[in-house]
Amino acid sequence: GEDVEQSLFLSVREGDSSVINCTYTDSSSTYLYWYKQEPGAGLQLLTYIFSNMDMKQDQRLTVLLNKKDKHLSLRIADTQTGDSAIYFCAERTEYGNKLVFGAGTILRVKS
Amino acid sequence: EPEVTQTPSHQVTQMGQEVILRCVPISNHLYFYWYRQILGQKVEFLVSFYNNEISEKSEIFDDQFSVERPDGSNFTLKIRSTKLEDSAMYFCASSDDNQGEQYFGPGTRLTVT
């Protein structure tokens, strides 16, 4: 079945780059997403990548997809204290429209 | 910017009671979803809904659960007889098409005592 795994915690200094990693098992994944959850808030869609792409850049965010290894990463350049949150990786398969989420990576940014 | 809204933000209920969680999806969206996140666990898909029908549901979504679009704006999740293990954050989401990005509401925290 589908499964998405993420590392649980990442701590970086303000101004450094953050890289959050995710692996998934379903080779029929069509879209892969990154969501951000701040304390007490809902899930905010940050960015997504279609499975036929290797990379997508959106301002400070860069998504890299290695489809062969089923590995997805989110790089945040010049990380700010406001980036502190939980980041969820999610996949959607070719059939159906449900999202399958990872457990989330807690990003802590130290000033 | 349009957003998904959910009410209430927190609901406390006794075991065995019925609860209805309410969502107002983004107005031009046609696909609606419910997910839940038990404390410390992953966000899990419950159900998707399109054209007044359930299009997909998970094993969690048993006969105790139902969804409804009672009017042109609301989308509800009903739990008929709550159990302790139903305590979770429930998220509503909507998208404009089957492959579109899903936008989430802020969630309703359900506590069953």
Side-chain angles (χ1 to χ4, degrees):
Chain A
E2 309 115 342
D3 193 24
V4 178
E5 297 292 334
Q6 298 178 240
S7 51
L8 290 181
F9 186 75
L10 176 66
S11 180
V12 299
R13 292 191 184 280
E14 192 174 17
D16 288 351
S17 292
S18 307
V19 179
I20 302 171
N21 294 301
C22 169
T23 57
Y24 59 97
T25 57
D26 196 325
S27 56
S28 68
S29 293
T30 52
Y31 287 92
L32 295 128
Y33 301 85
W34 286 102
Y35 283 86
K36 176 184 179 183
Q37 185 180 36
E38 297 183 69
L43 299 168
Q44 175 196 353
L45 177 63
L46 280 180
T47 187
Y48 65 94
I49 189 167
F50 188 50
S51 60
N52 69 353
M53 298 168 65
D54 298 323
M55 186 181 89
K56 181 177 180 181
Q57 186 150 4
D58 184 0
Q59 298 181 330
R60 292 191 297 123
L61 305 179
T62 303
V63 180
L64 294 177
L65 175 60
N66 181 328
K67 200 172 178 184
K68 175 175 164 289
D69 294 339
K70 300 191 188 72
H71 182 266
L72 181 76
S73 67
L74 173 70
R75 179 177 179 270
I76 305 172
D78 187 25
T79 315
Q80 303 296 306
T81 54
D83 295 324
S84 293
I86 304 175
Y87 289 81
F88 292 93
C89 168
E91 65 167 353
R92 179 160 65 193
T93 59
E94 186 177 7
Y95 306 105
N97 49 17
K98 71 177 185 184
L99 298 181
V100 177
F101 284 85
T105 299
I106 299 170
L107 174 65
R108 190 179 85 167
V109 183
K110 295 177 285 189
S111 56
Chain B
E1 185 176 324
E3 57 184 18
V4 177
T5 59
Q6 291 184 242
T7 54
S9 57
H10 191 192
Q11 172 101 41
V12 181
T13 189
Q14 288 191 325
M15 198 167 52
Q17 296 295 304
E18 174 185 286
V19 294
I20 297 176
L21 309 183
R22 291 184 165 79
C23 169
V24 179
I26 294 173
S27 63
N28 63 338
H29 284 187
L30 301 175
Y31 294 80
F32 314 116
Y33 314 86
W34 284 101
Y35 292 80
R36 78 171 185 191
Q37 185 181 29
I38 294 172
L39 189 64
Q41 297 187 23
K42 293 183 178 184
V43 176
E44 302 171 289
F45 169 79
L46 292 178
V47 67
S48 59
F49 190 85
Y50 168 71
N51 199 27
N52 281 320
E53 286 185 345
I54 290 174
S55 46
E56 191 176 356
K57 63 181 181 178
S58 71
E59 293 172 354
I60 304 166
F61 195 88
D62 61 22
D63 292 344
Q64 293 297 316
F65 292 87
S66 62
V67 288
E68 192 179 28
R69 187 148 162 85
D71 53 44
S73 60
N74 289 283
F75 178 53
T76 62
L77 173 70
K78 183 192 290 186
I79 309 175
R80 192 177 320 138
S81 177
T82 50
K83 303 189 280 284
L84 293 175
E85 54 264 37
D86 293 327
S87 294
M89 182 74 93
Y90 287 80
F91 292 106
C92 173
S94 68
S95 63
D96 59 358
D97 68 37
N98 193 33
Q99 294 292 310
E101 303 88 70
Q102 294 181 22
Y103 292 89
F104 283 73
T108 292
R109 180 165 297 285
L110 176 66
T111 302
V112 182
T113 61

